[in-house]
Each structure stands twice: as C-alpha cells, then as structure tokens.
Amino acid sequence: MLLASAVVVWEWLNEHGRWRPYSPAVCHHIEAAIRSDPRAASVVLGQVDPRLSPYVVDLHSMHQFRQDTGTLRPVRRSFYDPTSAPGQGCFWEWENDAGSWTAYDTEVGIAIQAARDRQQPCLDLAPLGFCYLIDFENMTQINGQTQRCRRIQRRSDLAYPLVSGPLPKSHHAWGPVSVPGHGGLLGVDPCACQQCMLMLSVKAGTMTTAQTLGRRPPQTKPPSPKLSSYPLPGSAYSLTLPRPPTLSRSLSPHRTSLFGATGGYSVAGPGGACAAPLPARSSLVGLSRPALQRIAMAQSRALIASGVPTVPVKNLNGSSPVHPALAGITGILMSAAGLPVCLTRPPKLVLHPPPVSKSEIKPVPGLGHCCRKTTKKQARKGKTPEEVVKRYLQKVRNPPEEDCTICMEALSGPSGYKGPGVGGISRAESVGRLAQCGHQYHLQCLVAMYNNGNKDGSLQCPTCKTIYGVKTGNQPPGKMEYHVIPHSLPGHPDCKTIRIIYNIPPGIQGPEHPNPGKPFTARGFPRHCYLPDSEKGRKVLRLLLVAWDRRLIFSVGTSSTTGESDTVIWNEVHHKTEFGSNLTGHGYPDPGHLDNVLEELRAQGINEEECLPRE
C-alpha cells in the first residue's frame, strides 16, 4: 500500500458546460457530512452558506437539486495535489464588467499559481483552451484577440479539505497518482454501480508549464514492473465519482479488481450485487457519454437481476406528469429512508437561443429605439407629504362608525398612529375619503403610510390597491435593451422573438432603499428575457418600457430564492428567462403568460392606454 494525500474540490456543471467549484467552506461541509455518515443521502448547502439555501446535493445520484424550481445539475468530487492552489488556499480571480471579481476554473487557477511559484513573468492560457495571457508583473489578463486588459487578483482563503489514507500500489488497478508539486489531479477508481458509470469521466494531460485541458493524453508505454508502484511524471488522471470511496477508508475485501484474460474486470460488493463485467480502464478513456450510458444500462440490468431495487423518480423521456421539484423531493425523502433512488437524466435546460449575428438582430417594429436607461431617483411631486395626500382626498365631516383599516381605531376617534413625521392635523380634516375608490382613513394614517413608502407623489389605497398619481419604484440605475432575433419560442412558431436584456450593476443604496448608504449586490446580470414578436407581445414590451421608466421592474430587498439581503430582486412583474424550455417554470410554452403580465402591470398602475406612441 502507498500512503497518499489529496485535496478534495466539489464542483457543479453550469449551463455552459464548465465545472465551477463550490467554496472551500461548502466543500468542508460536504466532506464532514460524508465522514459523519458514509451512507448519507444528501447534504443541505444552506446550512453553511445562506445564499445556497435552496440547494441540496444528492450524494447517490451526484446531482445538485434546487428545491424551489426542481432544477438538477451534475456535481463531481475531484482530487488535487495538496501543494496546488486549492490546497494552499490561493484563489485567482478576474474583474468582470460590473467591477466585481469572478473566480477562474479550478484547473486554470492551479496553472496560474504554479506559474507564479516558478516566478514566470507571464503565462499563456492557450493550452488550457483560453485565448488569454496572464501578466504577473502588472497583474492583468490580456485578451489575445482584442488586446483588452482586465485586472486579476490573488486572494487567500480557507484551504479546501484534505483527505489522506492508503492507496494500492498497482498502477493498473488505480491509475497513476499525479506528481507532488505539479498541481495535478489524483486518480481513484469508482465502484461498478450504475451511477458511477453514468458520471465517469477521464481527464488526462501533460504537466508542462500548465496542464492541457480537454485534450487526449499522449500515448505512453505501459510502465515496467519495477516502476509500477511510482507515479508517472508525464501524465495525471482524474476520475469524477458520483459516490467515491473516501481515501481514509481501506479497501474492503469484498470490493476488489480482478483482471481476466479478456482484459476486463468485475467489481463485487457485499453479496455480489455489482458483479456485471466492465471494460478495462484503457478502453474507457475514449468513450463518449452515450457509450458510457450503454455500459451503465447493462449494469442497471445486472442490479435489477440481482434483486437490488431501483426506483426511477423522473422519466427520461419527459412522459411522466411528475413535476421535477416533486420528483426531487421524493428522491430526497426516499434516500433519507434508506431506499435506493435512481434519478434519471433530466430534460435539457435551454436558457438562450442559438447564436445570432449582429446583422440578424432587428429593431422591434413600431419602436425606433432599442435601449432605455434609468439614472437617478425621480423628483418628488408636492412640497410636503400632507399636501400630496390631501390632493387625492375629499373631506369627511361626519365619519361613519367604522374602523380605519390602517390603525384599526374608530374613524370617529383620533388616529392610532403615534410616530414621528406627521404634523398637527385639525379635527375637521382628521378623516378623508379617497376620491376614486371611496375608502375612508385617518389623514394622519395616510400621511404616515406615505412617509414609509417611496414618497414619489403617488398614493395607493391599502384596501383595494387603487393607485392615485403616477407610481414609481426604487429600481437602481441600469440599462434595458430590446430587439428582435430570428428564432421562435415554443408555442409561438409563427413569429420571431423579442429579446430583452436587463443590466444593473451593483452600487450604493439611496434614500429610497431599505438601507441607505449600504452597498447592494446585483446577481445574475445581464438577465435575458423573451417575448413573442406578436401584436400582444409588442404591447407587453411597450408597457414594460413604461414600467422601466418608472423604476418598477426591479427593486432592492431580500431575495426569496437565496435569502440574500440588500440585493436587486424582481418586483412582481414576471418575465420568461428560459428560451427553449420550461423546466423552471420561467419558459415557454405558457399560453396565459402575456395576459398575466398585463394584469401585473395593471396592478402597478400601468394600463394599456399608456402604451408608448409608435414612432
């Protein structure tokens, strides 16, 4: 046996096909859960990071599950050299257009740190698949095509968790271990269960100036028996495991690798449940994912034949009426009960349309412009809050025997409001009737309600929500772009698509926001939204432009999805952010979407007669 140590990094697959690492704190949390209960079914990420409160990692299927939408994303557990950047707690980041910092992918950060440790003046990321040059002297990233420079930074944080334990000497059984100091990946064999085969991926690369990412490994001769117990200096392998054995555990005598005359091997668990023959390691390197899935299906049949129950929770072909969120919750509950759960591959999420050239982008018919900006808060209308409120009230000389629905005190008596900000009000005008809807309130209560709002010169009846004046919001400054692209939305095959792009940078809260003077974040921008380029779709767009001008599309508050406070959030006007699917409920087809948006805009005081004039 050969003692070895490795740094564990848990990663999730984003919509662009790139593996993004979880933070060190989250990885420590997942590893701690595995150590405390090796049979653990799932880990709740919100326990360590409130921003990840909707997310659960299912350890059996190796998927990240979002509880509010039912979205599933693959996750993996990778092993890196302890002397690499993740083991040292070194993180490299680049400055994005919003002025905040974005972390490089794990392997790119490892390559940058290794080049810095060798005191190289610069590093070309072309071997890693990126057309960038890292300049360590000026701490910049230079685009090789556009020559654009961005700042980079090296940040120190908590190191990723370290695991150690006995590894077998046989190179054939486990694959080579990366050379210490090269920042490579540590290879470990998976078990032969269905999930392991479905998620199996093999990476190989030469460890020169930087690891080569996404290329086939060089052809090398098999090592001689004398060198079989030592790492190969020319290559490193990473196996992504859905449910890998922890390195601190010794190999069970019931799980062994047996090579036969055909070059294959079989892996058996207790009772011989996983005993289907598998191809040799070398034959798996060049296999595509469909080929691996075919092998996994053979393993699945072996599992069923051996009496091991598997419960499909989500239908692969989408014929099941089970909602993804319900399916995911069912899987978690069954895993917690100790029942095996087989999560099938979810339908593909299509957030964005196919690439569109600039010549194919056209203005929206009837609108000569294609961009709208908001800057500072609109000026108040009215000298004092009392003057604003009285503008919409009629005097009530004899108040009825009813309660004011704001303070819940009798209208015939004084207001129950005792707070500051309201001046003296005479008895004769202590009660007023809103002119349009007729509801009656204490004038002092209405003034207090106005002072606690946006103070934009408008007033909204707290009973029937009728709006008096022009309602505006506290949307931060930003930009709204809109144009037509030559693709159709599901359910709207006869028309093209209106694409709306919202972009709001982070900033400092103003007096109209919850915490004036405190910074606010802006997650997920630019946000892409879609409408059909139909007559009703263009009507919705014109009303959205009115809402944008009145700063009603977004607000600053607490996200209901992540729980993060002081961040930009949607403001009760729903948008469709999925282009070609409807997995999260924010896509098409949705026959009632346009009518629902018109109703939501009407609730914000924006009616159809307020459409912008056609130009």
Side-chain angles (χ1 to χ4, degrees), residues 552-583:
L552 293 170
I553 301 293
F554 296 96
S555 181
V556 174
T558 300
S559 170
S560 60
T561 303
T562 64
E564 181 182 10
S565 58
D566 299 310
T567 190
V568 179
I569 58 176
W570 292 104
N571 189 34
E572 299 180 358
V573 179
H574 285 80
H575 287 64
K576 294 295 187 181
T577 55
E578 278 186 75
F579 175 80
S581 58
N582 195 18
L583 299 185

Side-chain angles (χ1 to χ4, degrees), residues 412-488:
S412 56
S415 168
Y417 178 75
K418 306 299 182 183
V422 179
I425 297 176
S426 64
R427 177 74 176 176
E429 56 182 12
S430 62
V431 177
R433 178 189 296 110
L434 290 171
Q436 186 174 342
C437 64
H439 290 110
Q440 302 179 33
Y441 305 95
H442 289 120
L443 176 59
Q444 195 170 0
C445 293
L446 288 175
V447 172
M449 185 183 71
Y450 178 83
N451 283 330
N452 289 329
N454 204 32
K455 293 182 281 190
D456 58 357
S458 69
L459 190 68
Q460 187 168 17
C461 175
T463 300
C464 64
K465 307 304 180 183
T466 300
I467 296 175
Y468 296 83
V470 177
K471 179 182 178 181
T472 61
N474 63 1
Q475 174 181 292
K479 182 170 68 173
M480 174 184 180
E481 300 178 70
Y482 38 93
H483 48 251
V484 176
I485 58 176
H487 299 290
S488 298

Side-chain angles (χ1 to χ4, degrees), residues 334-356:
M334 294 177 67
S335 297
L339 298 175
V341 176
C342 175
L343 289 180
T344 58
R345 185 178 174 186
K348 186 177 180 181
L349 180 70
V350 183
L351 290 177
H352 303 293
V356 178

Side-chain angles (χ1 to χ4, degrees), residues 129-455:
F130 301 96
C131 189
Y132 296 108
L133 181 70
I134 302 298
D135 184 349
F136 290 107
E137 182 177 355
N138 298 314
M139 291 295 284
T140 57
Q141 167 192 281
I142 304 172
N143 190 312
Q145 296 178 341
T146 64
Q147 299 302 310
R148 180 178 181 180
C149 288
R150 294 181 183 271
R151 291 192 301 161
I152 64 173
Q153 71 173 9
R154 178 179 179 270
R155 180 175 57 85
S156 296
D157 200 344
L158 178 69
Y160 279 93
L162 180 70
V163 293
S164 61
L167 294 179
K169 293 181 179 181
S170 172
H171 155 65
H172 298 284
W174 287 83
V177 179
S178 62
V179 179
H182 286 263
L185 296 160
L186 183 63
V188 180
D189 267 350
C191 66
C193 67
Q194 175 186 3
Q195 288 86 358
C196 287
M197 293 305 302
L198 276 172
M199 295 299 296
L200 180 66
S201 66
V202 179
K203 288 187 178 180
T206 55
M207 305 305 296
T208 54
T209 303
Q211 283 185 315
T212 302
L213 190 62
R215 297 185 178 182
R216 289 191 176 182
Q219 298 298 325
T220 57
K221 295 181 180 180
S224 64
K226 295 181 180 180
L227 300 176
S228 60
S229 61
Y230 295 94
L232 294 181
S235 60
Y237 290 81
S238 168
L239 295 182
T240 299
L241 309 183
R243 188 70 170 123
T246 57
L247 295 179
S248 59
R249 229 188 297 171
S250 301
L251 289 177
S252 168
H254 300 287
R255 180 170 291 180
T256 57
S257 298
L258 304 176
F259 286 84
T262 60
Y265 64 90
S266 62
V267 180
C274 291
L278 292 175
R281 165 66 56 78
S282 59
S283 64
L284 292 176
V285 175
L287 291 182
S288 62
R289 185 177 180 89
L292 291 173
Q293 288 178 331
R294 286 193 294 270
I295 297 173
M297 293 306 297
Q299 285 297 106
S300 178
R301 288 191 289 269
L303 285 172
I304 296 173
S306 63
V308 177
T310 60
V311 183
V313 175
K314 189 159 181 266
N315 191 291
L316 178 63
N317 298 321
S319 59
S320 171
V322 180
H323 190 274
L326 178 60
I329 293 173
T330 303
I332 291 175
L333 294 176
M334 294 177 67
S335 297
L339 298 175
V341 176
C342 175
L343 289 180
T344 58
R345 185 178 174 186
K348 186 177 180 181
L349 180 70
V350 183
L351 290 177
H352 303 293
V356 178
S357 64
K358 289 186 178 180
S359 61
E360 293 178 306
I361 296 176
K362 304 296 181 182
V364 179
L367 295 177
H369 42 77
C370 61
C371 181
R372 224 25 109 75
K373 293 184 178 181
T374 56
T375 53
K376 297 182 179 179
K377 183 179 184 296
Q378 298 178 4
R380 289 185 188 179
K381 299 177 181 179
K383 295 181 180 179
T384 64
E386 288 87 349
E387 290 177 347
V388 173
V389 172
K390 288 179 181 179
R391 183 188 306 169
Y392 309 117
L393 288 181
Q394 298 172 345
K395 293 182 180 180
V396 178
R397 294 186 177 180
N398 298 311
E401 294 297 324
E402 299 176 0
D403 290 342
C404 171
T405 56
I406 299 177
C407 68
M408 302 308 296
E409 297 289 343
L411 289 172
S412 56
S415 168
Y417 178 75
K418 306 299 182 183
V422 179
I425 297 176
S426 64
R427 177 74 176 176
E429 56 182 12
S430 62
V431 177
R433 178 189 296 110
L434 290 171
Q436 186 174 342
C437 64
H439 290 110
Q440 302 179 33
Y441 305 95
H442 289 120
L443 176 59
Q444 195 170 0
C445 293
L446 288 175
V447 172
M449 185 183 71
Y450 178 83
N451 283 330
N452 289 329
N454 204 32
K455 293 182 281 190

